[in-house]
Each structure stands twice: as structure tokens, then as C-alpha cells.
């Protein structure tokens, strides 16, 4: 028999048991999206939701990176955007390769200075947004703003459905 999670996801995304009742046009696409949903999108938001809804919202500091170094272009196709692998140049200040001066400024002011203050336990008034579905974003142009998670309202019901399907008791 299939695990409870697979059964629940199948009912949710394929209510009549066919691809026609899903948002996808081919099984390969359905697999890719479901894999990404469950590995990253739903579980990440479910964790944040659980932390915030159980009294620790003050500990949530969400950050979204949309910036991509020019150093990525020889490794990752530009159409991939700011992927998980491409953000290594942000986290590791070039990851052993020299950033140009413009990119050094973006990485330092848009991310590392704030991250270092967070690690030191300093107050971060420009980061906390008061809601678990909102965070700080480093945009592709190097500017920072407040980001409202456009997938929050889609992913949290999936997370709650999985909790119910697994018999998990929570405050949800």
C-alpha cells in the first residue's frame, strides 16, 4: 500500500485519479512540481507557519534572494535565475572567486552585513516584518525591499492537509 502522504497528495492534486483533474498537462511535469512542492515549497512554509503559530513568531526572519552574480553565468544558464546553487556567490562572498566592486557592494550591504548582525544577536528593525508570510528580499537589481510570499496562501492549505492526513495533532 502507498504511504499516507502519497494517498493524501494524490487525492488533493488528482481528485478523480487522472492527470486531467490536475494543474499539469503531463506526468513528468506533475512529478517535477510535486517533488519541488514537497521538498521545498510546502515544507519550508509549513515549518515557518508552525513556528509562528505556536508562539515563536518573533524568531522568524525570512529572507528571499532574487539576486544572481554574473559569476553564475558560466555555470548556470541565466534563464534559471537565482537558484539554490547560484546563491553560493552571495553566501560565500564570491565562493573563492573575485566579485567585481558592484557585486561586492550588493553582497555586503544587501545580505552579509544584516546576516552578521543577526548572528551577533543585534536588533534588526529592517528585517522583521511582523508576519510569517512576509520577509526581506534582495532583488535582482541589488536593492532590498519587503516581500510578501506569493505562494503562502497556496502552500499552507497543502501543509495542513498533510498534517491532518498523517493524524498529526497541532494548533492548526
Amino acid at each position: 500500500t502507498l504511504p499516507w502522504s502519497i494517498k493524501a497528495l494524490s487525492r488533493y492534486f488528482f481528485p478523480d485519479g487522472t492527470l486531467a483533474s490536475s494543474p499539469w498537462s503531463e506526468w513528468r511535469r506533475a512529478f517535477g512540481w510535486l517533488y519541488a512542492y514537497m521538498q521545498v515549497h510546502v515544507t519550508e512554509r509549513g515549518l515557518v507557519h508552525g513556528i509562528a503559530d505556536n508562539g515563536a513568531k518573533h524568531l522568524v526572519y525570512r529572507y528571499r534572494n532574487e539576486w544572481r552574480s554574473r559569476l553564475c553565468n558560466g555555470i548556470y544558464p541565466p534563464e534559471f535565475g537565482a537558484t539554490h546553487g547560484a546563491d553560493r556567490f552571495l553566501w560565500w562572498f564570491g565562493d573563492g572567486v573575485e566579485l567585481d566592486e558592484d557585486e561586492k557592494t550588493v553582497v555586503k550591504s544587501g545580505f552579509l552585513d544584516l546576516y552578521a548582525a543577526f548572528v551577533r544577536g543585534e536588533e534588526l528593525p529592517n528585517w522583521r516584518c511582523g508576519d510569517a508570510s512576509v520577509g526581506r528580499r534582495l532583488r535582482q537589481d541589488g536593492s532590498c525591499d519587503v516581500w510578501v510570499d506569493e505562494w503562502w496562501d497556496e502552500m499552507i492549505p497543502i501543509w495542513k492537509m498533510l498534517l491532518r492526513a498523517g493524524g498529526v495533532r497541532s494548533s492548526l
Side-chain angles (χ1 to χ4, degrees), residues 17 20 22 40 60-61 69 71 84 89 91-92 116 121 125 133-134 149 152-155 161 165:
S22 80
V40 179
V60 174
Y61 290 86
S69 169
L71 297 172
H84 180 63
F89 299 103
W91 278 94
W92 305 112
S133 67
V134 177
D149 185 345
W152 186 265
D153 291 337
E154 179 183 350
M155 299 297 139
M161 177 272 304

Side-chain angles (χ1 to χ4, degrees), residues 47-61 128 132:
L47 173 65
V48 171
H49 182 269
I51 291 168
D53 269 18
N54 286 287
K57 185 183 346 185
H58 64 287
L59 298 175
V60 174
Y61 290 86
R128 188 169 321 176

Side-chain angles (χ1 to χ4, degrees), residues 103-123:
E103 290 191 340
K104 285 180 183 178
T105 300
V106 168
V107 171
K108 190 169 176 347
S109 65
F111 180 69
L112 289 179
D113 288 345
L114 192 59
Y115 183 67
F118 172 78
V119 170
R120 288 190 300 265
E122 296 172 9
E123 187 62 33

Side-chain angles (χ1 to χ4, degrees), residues 6 14 31 35 49 52 81 85 87 113 119 129 147 152 164 170-171:
I6 300 299
F14 310 100
F31 174 81
Y35 197 88
H49 182 269
D87 69 3
D113 288 345
V119 170
C129 302
W147 157 74
W152 186 265
R164 287 189 303 275
S170 74
S171 63

Side-chain angles (χ1 to χ4, degrees), residues 26-60:
E26 55 187 30
W27 284 111
R28 186 175 53 149
R29 279 205 167 301
F31 174 81
W33 273 100
L34 286 171
Y35 197 88
Y37 272 18
M38 300 320 304
Q39 186 180 28
V40 179
H41 305 301
V42 172
T43 51
E44 168 199 333
R45 288 161 179 90
L47 173 65
V48 171
H49 182 269
I51 291 168
D53 269 18
N54 286 287
K57 185 183 346 185
H58 64 287
L59 298 175
V60 174

